[in-house]
């Protein structure tokens, strides 16, 4: 499966019940999760808003069904006859004032060590009775941007971009942040990374780079998120 970018003008969310699991599937999921945590003790079984399904209407509309799960459900991928579980995520394209784009490399403590991607993360669900909408997406994207790079952009300043379907079937919502001076982006990242280390934690990004073209992006050592080149190409006008 290859990644896709969609231009969406109307977006609707509907919460649905979580998928049912047999006793055998649940037991297999728990064993797999325990093994994953043993390999990476930094993994946390926190709440996520997972993708249950979607439908495009051909006129710019997208309807998304979502459900409340936890991270351990991710290990169901590849388990025979288990329900398909995909993620909902947000990502922020953060430009520098010289036209370059900030990307970060995921640290060894994350679920995707060594992968280059924009700031962002898996979507957390609203509180019970809350609404999943564009406002919540914006708020979550702004929080991820601040936590990972130190750039404290207000949610309302993030412009909605295309929706991405990545190579694993997860659905992402891209936002574009206002440009900042390149030196400020580097200094803010360095400050937040030092603070994380001083607190005894590992930064989510162990390295950031500013890339000025798709070819520079491809030259970075290591894998990239499946949608990153498409999103960067759109940003660079390629």
């Amino acid at each position: 499966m290859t990644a896709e970018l969609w231009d969406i003008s109307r977006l609707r969310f509907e919460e649905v019940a979580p998928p049912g699991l047999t006793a055998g599937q649940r037991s297999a999921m728990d064993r797999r999760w325990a093994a994953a945590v043993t390999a990476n003790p930094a993994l946390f079984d926190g709440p996520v808003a997972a993708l249950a399904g979607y439908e495009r209407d051909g006129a710019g509309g997208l309807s998304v069904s979502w459900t409340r799960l936890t991270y351990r459900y991710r290990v169901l991928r590849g388990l025979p006859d288990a329900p398909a579980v995909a993620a909902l995520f947000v990502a922020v394209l953060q430009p520098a004032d010289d036209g370059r784009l900030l990307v970060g490399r995921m640290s060894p403590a994350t679920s995707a060590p060594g992968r280059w991607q924009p700031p962002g993360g898996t979507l957390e669900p609203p509180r019970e009775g809350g609404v999943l909408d564009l406002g919540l997406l914006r708020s979550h994207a702004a929080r991820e941007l601040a936590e990972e790079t130190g750039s404290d952009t207000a949610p309302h300043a993030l412009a909605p971009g295309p929706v991405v379907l990545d190579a694993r079937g997860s659905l992402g919502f891209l936002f574009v942040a206002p440009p900042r001076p390149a030196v400020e982006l580097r200094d803010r990242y360095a400050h937040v990374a030092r603070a994380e280390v001083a607190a005894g934690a590992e930064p989510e990004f162990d390295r950031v780079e500013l890339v000025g073209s798709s070819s520079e992006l491809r030259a970075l050592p290591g894998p990239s998120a499946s949608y990153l080149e498409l999103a960067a190409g759109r940003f660079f006008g390629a």
Side-chain angles (χ1 to χ4, degrees):
M1 182 177 180
T2 58
E4 301 177 18
L5 288 183
W6 305 334
D7 292 313
I8 298 299
S9 57
R10 298 186 313 281
L11 186 59
R12 186 176 71 87
F13 291 95
E14 179 186 10
E15 183 175 2
V16 298
L21 298 180
T22 66
Q25 289 166 345
R26 186 168 295 278
S27 177
M29 177 181 69
D30 292 343
R31 288 197 306 271
R32 286 185 169 201
W33 176 253
V37 172
T38 299
N40 183 358
L43 294 179
F44 171 63
D45 193 25
V48 295
L51 176 65
Y54 64 85
E55 183 176 355
R56 299 171 65 192
D57 66 11
L62 175 65
S63 297
V64 178
S65 300
W66 67 279
T67 190
R68 297 172 189 268
L69 297 178
T70 65
Y71 276 94
R72 73 174 55 220
Y73 278 78
R74 287 183 170 187
V75 300
L76 287 172
R77 291 169 174 164
L79 191 66
D81 301 322
V85 176
L88 291 172
F89 65 93
V90 292
V92 181
L93 302 182
Q94 173 62 70
D97 59 0
D98 59 9
R100 290 182 293 171
L101 188 65
L102 184 142
V103 293
R105 187 177 67 183
M106 299 290 279
S107 74
T110 65
S111 60
R115 185 177 70 190
W116 292 93
Q117 63 181 54
T122 303
L123 189 64
E124 296 176 6
R127 295 179 180 179
E128 290 290 345
V131 177
L132 179 52
D133 58 10
L134 183 60
L136 187 141
L137 296 177
R138 268 198 172 108
S139 295
H140 189 72
R143 186 168 74 250
E144 293 282 354
L145 180 64
E147 290 175 353
E148 295 175 357
T149 73
S151 292
D152 53 346
T153 300
H156 66 79
L158 297 177
V163 173
V164 59
L165 181 69
D166 76 6
R168 301 190 72 172
S170 295
L171 205 60
F173 303 89
L174 303 187
F175 294 88
V176 182
R180 291 181 183 265
V183 65
E184 179 184 327
L185 289 174
R186 291 193 180 279
D187 286 349
R188 283 175 176 262
Y189 164 73
H191 177 78
V192 77
R194 285 195 301 268
E196 289 283 318
V197 172
E202 188 169 350
E204 191 147 356
F205 287 155
D206 64 8
R207 175 180 166 187
V208 297
E209 292 292 344
L210 292 168
V211 295
S213 66
S214 294
S215 59
E216 287 184 18
L217 178 62
R218 289 192 292 269
L220 292 174
S224 296
S226 63
Y227 65 89
L228 179 55
E229 189 171 343
L230 267 180
R234 173 76 68 91
F235 174 81
F236 293 128

